Every structure is written in structure tokens, then in C-alpha cells.
């Protein structure tokens, strides 16, 4: 049966926050009175995230685990979740609980009542973020808005609800290095917003350091605007005009018997022109790199395991099963006493195997003598 709601959650090394996420998300979805699935996309985690997801999947039938073969990045993990999700409406949310899952019912109600395809979660209070992050985010969204004419919300990240038509449209795009927070507004589907207060990360560390934010900014800028290419053209025209003015100045100075300025001005001009040229070459390189990657056609992610196909036995020969159960220490903290005793016994490699009953002797077949 196709669920009405799918919740896609990308995860990378989230073993600390995962129990808190399940504790808040499961009773919320159970109380909504609708059919749902939770698609947890493990983006090649190196900690116990995959093992914990396996354990929660056995206890929570609506939890679906999709594990990527290698770390592909946050946006690629969301894309993998969108391809795997089956619901009529799909919510994407991060696992760090900075975006509260409690407003999912409000987003679903807004989509149904207003008849819109997209409901954005907009942060009306970002006091938990640093001043640098707030200022850089505002400047970045303004720059993207000026260069690409994209109506992306400045305080909306990847927390949104989308209709099945929107998800199908995104999945049909052949683009690599997607930045979904700009792709979704670029579709220009009917949309609405729901505001909320951004909280601090519940546990663990941020998975978006400065270098990843810079890469995301470059992908956004080169993926949604050709303005940098035009900027390089304008810089070239400006350099040409400046060169003509310098030639005129030199000719006039010679006709009046004045000497040309010394080497300082010459070096400054050469350095300035060289800097503009390098910037233009770098901008061209960014676009050529995107074209090269698109021509190669390499997938941005590879799915190694999907619990839905694994449970039905329809998985392929390349599927990789999830790792073993969490260690004894993690099980002791998440299970009751009786369940723990049984699980530890099963996992202890030094425990003596239970005695097996002796097999009953098979009756010998009756022999019949043949007489001639």
C-alpha cells in the first residue's frame, strides 16, 4: 500500500542524536492518523548509525533504511531518499533536530487546505546560529537572488514538504550536484510557508563545516546563474577600455614631452589585469567542470541496501546487508532488562551454545528377500 506521507532523513554519523530523533518522531507520526513511512538514508556513516537503524527497523515497521555504498554528500543523500520515497507527500528533514518535526502535521494540513505543491519550513528565529552564519547566509541568498532571479527563501533550508508531482519533477531532472533548496523554488510550483524557531543541535557535531558550505555556495552559483560568465565578459570589456585609455595617455604624454610613469604603475596595471584574467579563467573552469561531470553521466550515489527490498527478498546480488547489531554497551542503554539478557547471550561469541536434542534414530527400511 502506498503511504500518504514519506519522511526522508539523510544521516551521516548520527549515532548520538538518532535515539532522540526516534523518540520524538515516532509518536508524532503515529498520532497523525495517516499512513506513513520514514526513509532514513545512511550516507556511508562510519559510526553505529547503520547498526542502530537496523535495530529500530526491526521494532518500527514504518522505518525504511536506505544505505549508500559510500559517502556522497548531504544533497545526494536527500536525492536518494526522494527517489526511494513512495508517499503522496514527502517531507525532507535533517536528523539533528534543529528543525522541529512537530510542525510536520501543520505542513501537511497547509498543503491539503491550500492546494499547494510545496510547503517550506521558514526559520523566524535563528538566535541559536552564530552571527557569522546568519550574516553569511543573508548575503549569500541576496547574491543568488540578484544573479539568478530565483525566489528562494532566505531562511528556508532543506526542511520542506513536497507533493508527489514535485518529487517526480525533481527526480526527472538529469542534473548532477543538485542544490535542492534552489531547484525546488526554480520549479515555480504553488507553495506556502510555515514558520518555526530553529533550535540548537540536539547531539553530535555539525556535518556542514566552512569548506562544505563554500562548495555548496559554488554549486548553487554555477548551477542557477550565468551571471559570473557575464561578469567575466564585463571585466574583459573594462580591461580593454582601460588599455585604450592608457595608450591615449601615453601618446599624449609623449607629444607633450612628458615621460611615462615609472615601473610602479606598470607593475600595478599588469598585476591588476592578470588578477582579472585569473578570476575569469577560474569562473570558466567552474562551468566547464560542471559540463564535464554532466557529460560523464556518473551517478552521484550508489544504493547498497534498501530494507524494503531486503525484507521481501527482491534485492539484487550487489546489495550489501546492514552491519551487525550495536555493541553490548549500546544495547544495555536502549533495551529493557529482559530483552538485554537475551540479546547479549545471542551476541556473546564466548557463550556456550545451547544443548541440542539428540536426533531420533531413523527406522531402518524393511528388507524383503527375493526368492527365485
Amino acid at each position: 500500500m502506498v503511504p500518504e506521507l514519506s519522511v526522508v532523513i539523510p544521516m551521516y554519523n548520527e549515532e548520538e542524536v538518532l535515539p532522540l530523533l526516534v523518540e520524538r518522531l515516532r509518536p508524532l507520526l503515529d498520532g497523525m492518523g495517516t499512513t506513513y513511512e520514514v526513509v532514513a538514508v545512511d550516507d556511508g556513516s562510519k559510526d553505529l548509525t547503520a547498526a542502530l537503524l537496523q535495530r529500530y527497523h526491526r521494532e518500527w515497521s514504518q522505518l525504511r533504511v536506505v544505505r549508500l555504498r559510500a559517502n556522497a554528500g548531504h544533497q545526494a543523500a536527500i536525492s536518494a531518499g526522494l527517489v526511494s520515497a513512495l508517499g503522496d507527500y514527502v517531507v525532507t528533514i535533517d536528523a539533528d533536530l534543529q528543525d522541529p518535526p512537530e510542525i510536520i502535521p501543520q505542513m501537511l494540513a497547509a498543503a491539503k487546505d491550500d492546494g499547494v505543491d510545496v510547503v517550506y519550513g521558514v526559520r523566524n528565529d535563528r538566535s541559536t546560529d552564530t552571527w557569522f552564519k546568519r550574516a553569511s547566509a543573508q548575503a549569500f541568498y541576496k547574491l543568488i537572488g540578484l544573479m539568478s532571479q530565483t525566489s528562494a527563501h532566505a531562511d528556508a533550508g532543506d526542511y520542506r514538504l513536497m507533493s508527489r508531482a514535485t518529487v517526480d519533477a525533481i527526480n526527472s531532472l538529469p542534473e548532477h550536484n543538485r542544490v535542492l533548496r534552489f531547484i525546488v523554488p526554480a520549479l515555480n510550483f504553488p507553495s506556502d510557508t510555515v514558520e518555526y524557531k530553529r533550535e540548537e543541535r540536539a547531539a553530535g557535531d555539525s556535518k556542514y563545516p566552512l569548506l562544505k558550505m563554500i562548495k555548496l555556495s559554488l554549486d548553487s552559483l554555477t548551477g542557477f546563474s550565468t551571471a559570473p560568465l557575464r561578469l567575466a565578459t564585463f571585466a574583459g570589456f573594462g580591461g580593454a577600455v582601460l588599455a585604450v585609455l592608457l595608450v591615449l595617455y601615453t601618446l599624449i604624454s609623449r607629444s607633450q614631452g612628458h615621460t611615462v610613469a615609472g615601473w610602479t604603475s606598470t607593475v600595478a596595471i599588469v598585476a591588476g589585469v592578470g588578477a582579472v584574467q585569473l578570476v575569469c579563467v577560474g569562473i570558466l573552469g567552474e562551468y566547464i567542470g560542471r559540463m564535464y561531470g554532466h557529460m560523464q553521466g556518473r551517478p552521484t550515489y550508489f544504493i547498497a541496501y534498501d530494507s524494503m527490498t531486503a525484507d521481501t527478498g527482491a534485492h539484487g546480488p550487489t546489495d550489501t546487508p546492514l552491519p551487525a547489531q550495536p555493541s553490548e554497551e549500546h544495547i544495555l542503554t536502549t533495551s529493557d532488562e529482559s530483552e538485554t539478557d537475551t540479546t547479549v547471550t545471542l551476541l556473546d561469541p564466548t557463550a556456550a551454545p545451547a544443548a541440542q536434542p539428540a536426533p531420533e534414530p531413523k527406522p531402518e527400511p524393511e528388507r524383503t528377500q527375493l526368492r527365485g
Side-chain angles (χ1 to χ4, degrees):
M1 182 180 64
V2 176
E4 181 181 26
L5 178 65
S6 295
V7 181
V8 174
I9 311 176
M11 299 182 182
Y12 179 67
N13 293 344
E14 299 289 2
E15 65 173 357
E16 297 182 24
V17 77
L18 185 53
L20 302 176
L21 174 66
V22 174
E23 182 181 353
R24 287 177 58 176
L25 184 62
R26 183 175 184 179
L28 172 71
L29 297 177
D30 288 341
M32 288 181 59
T34 183
T35 56
Y36 72 89
E37 66 171 353
V38 177
V39 183
V41 183
D42 176 30
D43 189 19
S45 298
K46 299 179 181 178
D47 60 359
L48 291 176
T49 298
L52 288 173
L53 285 174
Q54 180 191 25
R55 184 178 186 279
Y56 286 123
H57 167 66
R58 293 179 177 178
E59 302 173 354
W60 188 9
S61 60
Q62 290 87 352
L63 176 61
R64 179 180 171 190
V65 182
V66 176
R67 191 167 194 238
L68 304 187
R69 193 167 294 277
N71 179 253
H74 181 256
Q75 297 297 308
I78 296 179
S79 297
L82 294 181
V83 171
S84 303
L86 302 175
D88 296 328
Y89 294 93
V90 180
V91 174
T92 57
I93 183 175
D94 291 337
D96 54 15
L97 292 177
Q98 287 189 284
D99 303 325
E102 285 76 14
I103 69 169
I104 292 179
Q106 186 178 352
M107 299 171 79
L108 182 60
K112 291 182 177 180
D113 296 341
D114 300 338
V116 297
D117 289 296
V118 184
V119 179
Y120 298 98
V122 178
R123 309 153 185 167
N124 59 6
D125 186 349
R126 301 187 61 172
S127 57
T128 56
D129 292 336
T130 62
W131 173 87
F132 174 77
K133 188 170 184 179
R134 293 196 301 268
S136 60
Q138 290 290 338
F140 171 68
Y141 277 97
K142 288 182 179 179
L143 178 63
I144 290 292
L146 290 174
M147 288 190 170
S148 64
Q149 306 299 323
T150 301
S151 58
H153 295 275
D155 292 315
D158 289 309
Y159 190 18
R160 69 183 73 85
L161 179 142
M162 296 171 287
S163 66
R164 170 49 53 184
T166 307
V167 174
D168 291 342
I170 294 173
N171 292 337
S172 66
L173 297 176
E175 183 178 357
H176 296 275
N177 298 324
R178 297 175 178 174
V179 182
L180 293 171
R181 64 186 63 183
F182 294 109
I183 284 183
V184 177
L187 296 175
N188 204 24
F189 287 3
S191 63
D192 200 352
T193 60
V194 172
E195 295 185 349
Y196 66 94
K197 178 182 178 181
R198 185 171 173 83
E199 305 291 343
E200 294 183 357
R201 178 178 252 277
D205 301 323
S206 173
K207 305 305 184 297
Y208 254 117
L210 181 59
L211 291 179
K212 285 190 176 181
M213 291 298 296
I214 294 176
K215 183 181 181 302
L216 180 67
S217 301
L218 289 176
D219 289 338
S220 304
L221 192 60
T222 57
F224 292 91
S225 174
T226 58
L229 292 176
R230 295 172 182 171
L231 179 63
T233 303
F234 293 152
F237 282 133
V241 172
L242 180 61
V244 171
L245 293 177
L246 287 174
V247 170
L248 293 176
Y249 169 74
T250 303
L251 294 176
I252 294 173
S253 298
R254 171 174 283 182
S255 64
Q256 294 178 353
H258 299 296
T259 57
V260 182
W263 66 271
T264 303
S265 59
T266 303
V267 171
I269 294 171
V270 172
V273 174
V276 172
Q277 290 176 338
L278 290 175
V279 171
C280 295
V281 171
I283 293 174
L284 292 173
E286 289 289 334
Y287 282 92
I288 293 174
R290 290 182 65 90
M291 293 170 58
Y292 177 69
H294 182 72
M295 290 177 62
Q296 286 179 317
R298 297 176 182 173
T300 55
Y301 60 87
F302 293 92
I303 295 179
Y305 173 85
D306 188 338
S307 61
M308 185 180 71
T309 57
D311 291 345
T312 59
H315 55 281
T318 60
D319 288 354
T320 302
L322 288 176
Q325 287 277 11
S327 61
E328 178 180 340
E329 179 182 355
H330 283 77
I331 295 177
L332 288 173
T333 59
T334 56
S335 304
D336 59 19
E337 184 175 357
S338 61
E339 181 181 357
T340 302
D341 293 338
T342 304
T343 308
V344 171
T345 303
L346 293 175
L347 295 178
D348 188 3
T350 61
Q356 300 292 334
E360 297 181 1
K362 298 181 179 180
E364 294 184 2
E366 184 179 356
R367 297 180 180 177
T368 304
Q369 295 183 356
L370 299 178
R371 302 185 179 215

